Amino acid sequence: MLLPRLHLSGLKQWQLPASKSLSNRWLVINYLYGGKIDIQNLSTAEDTVLMYRLLQQLSVGTDHNFDCGNAGTVARFITALLASQNGTFVVTGDERMKARPMAELIETMRDMGAEIHCLEGEGFLPLEIHGTRLSGGEVRLSGTQSSQFASALMLVAPVMEQPLTLKFDTVPTSESYISITCELLKACGHSIWQHPLEISVKPTDKVSKISVSIENDWSSAAYAYNAVAFSPDMSVFLPGLDKGSVQGDSVAREWYSRIGVETTFVERGILLKNKMLKCENPLLFECSDNPDLVPPMVVACAGLGLEAVFRHVHTLNLKESERLSVLSKELSKLGCRNVATDDSLYVYPSQLSVKEQIKTYNDHRIAMSFATLACLFDGVDVENPDVVGKSFPNFWNEFLNPKQL
């Protein structure tokens, strides 16, 4: 997709998607509670549509084969859910999902009583699951891999035989996503005790009917922040974002303030303005809790010619693509000098030049992040534009044709 050079100005509005992180968790909770949750503003992202479809499939009970594509959240949550249900099921995914780690979750489920067979490689999809009522009790996780393992266990804790206690060897990566799960379970009446190295879930005896409206997605807001950072004469209104958000990626307002984008909370949302501030040099970002913000912020710093260091990014290579390697490679193609290590990415001020197509590696966040460079350059060509549907189906319309206010 060859993008036009965008010369954006004035006050615009982007309509962000609802949070798929919140949506997918509420869908699992709603399934376990027999449809007692009235969910408003459910995400239309492909990952959430897939989660909804697989839960419907489980409810009907005629097809026991569950294909999760390359949706990590869906694969981890569905695996835990099926392990907690009576029956025999097969869980699989695409080739990339089959290469993403599952061993720690699988072993934990086995220890709790589920019979799980890895059909190709040990610790990876596809799986044959013989589910049961899981025992619960005390579980130990490393904390160094996916936070989705912990969230998956917590979501099915209400149907375990005993209250669940998770103990971590180290402060878990992407801890903010575990906190989201804690907050949603609290909203259902469960007693949650959370400490950096330990979480306990004590289910309530009875869950009352509740209604929830899902907040829009702070992770997706990052691409609007990029557009404002690259377009000093434009401001953007983003409805549906709350000051008291449970989403960890609401830290975007702090990250982007360091490169001159000011966030103001107004009625019904936030307003983004480019304050054209002089940035500190070099910028340092601690990324353990917010890996989804790394691709757009890396591209923002590269586009603005800023020196930046992104630390604790080791999990990026376990995502939809090997994101750390991909970011380094695509930045280099643009002429941006960078150095990637096992756990850090260093970006240096460089004169960028767009000469080749941006490869997206079937990764929605890579596609949207590099697309924002069209605010600065002619000739930005993004491979496989449809991949954005995974999290932000209407991205291209919002980015290329924002509503004028």
Side-chain angles (χ1 to χ4, degrees), residues 98 100-104 106-107 110 118 121-125 127:
K98 289 179 182 180
R100 297 173 70 179
M102 294 280 287
E104 194 168 42
I106 292 167
E107 285 303 318
R110 286 170 173 165
C118 298
E122 183 59 36
F124 299 94
L125 296 182
L127 309 174

Side-chain angles (χ1 to χ4, degrees), residues 2-230:
L2 183 60
L3 302 175
R5 171 71 183 277
L6 300 179
H7 301 276
L8 300 172
S9 62
L11 178 57
K12 310 291 188 182
Q13 175 176 313
W14 283 33
Q15 185 60 50
L16 298 177
S19 166
K20 69 183 182 74
S21 295
L22 292 171
S23 294
N24 289 349
R25 285 163 172 78
W26 277 122
L27 284 174
V28 174
I29 291 170
N30 190 45
Y31 177 85
L32 287 173
Y33 298 156
K36 289 184 177 180
I37 315 295
D38 177 26
I39 305 174
Q40 302 295 321
N41 195 37
L42 188 69
S43 173
T44 58
E46 289 175 0
D47 276 14
T48 301
V49 172
L50 175 61
M51 178 69 84
Y52 181 86
R53 181 175 62 78
L54 293 182
L55 291 172
Q56 290 293 107
Q57 177 182 322
L58 178 59
S59 179
V60 172
T62 55
D63 184 355
H64 289 204
N65 295 292
F66 294 80
D67 189 341
C68 301
N70 190 14
T73 303
V74 176
R76 279 71 180 259
F77 289 6
I78 283 291
T79 294
L81 178 61
L82 295 177
S84 72
Q85 307 292 298
N86 290 323
T88 299
F89 314 96
V90 173
V91 180
T92 190
D94 68 9
E95 290 307 307
R96 175 60 187 166
M97 191 63 234
K98 289 179 182 180
R100 297 173 70 179
M102 294 280 287
E104 194 168 42
L105 181 61
I106 292 167
E107 285 303 318
T108 301
M109 294 294 175
R110 286 170 173 165
D111 291 343
M112 289 187 180
E115 184 180 340
I116 302 178
H117 303 286
C118 298
L119 300 179
E120 293 180 9
E122 183 59 36
F124 299 94
L125 296 182
L127 309 174
E128 182 180 82
I129 300 173
H130 301 270
T132 186
R133 187 179 182 191
L134 300 174
S135 62
E138 185 176 307
V139 171
R140 182 165 290 278
L141 297 176
S142 67
T144 60
Q145 296 190 12
S146 175
S147 66
Q148 293 165 356
F149 297 168
S151 287
L153 294 168
M154 292 167 63
L155 287 171
V156 299
V159 295
M160 293 179 181
E161 292 178 351
Q162 307 172 57
L164 175 69
T165 297
L166 301 178
K167 292 191 174 183
F168 301 96
D169 294 335
T170 186
V171 175
T173 297
S174 300
E175 185 181 16
S176 61
Y177 286 91
I178 298 175
S179 294
I180 290 176
T181 309
C182 288
E183 293 303 314
L184 269 56
L185 290 172
K186 286 179 187 177
C188 295
H190 302 302
S191 177
I192 309 293
W193 185 81
Q194 185 177 10
H195 181 273
L197 295 177
E198 185 174 335
I199 297 172
S200 64
V201 182
K202 185 177 181 180
T204 182
D205 293 333
K206 185 178 181 180
V207 176
S208 301
K209 289 185 177 181
I210 61 173
S211 180
V212 297
S213 181
I214 294 174
E215 184 187 13
N216 284 348
D217 186 35
W218 273 97
S219 304
S220 297
Y223 312 109
Y225 275 98
N226 272 30
V228 173
F230 295 154

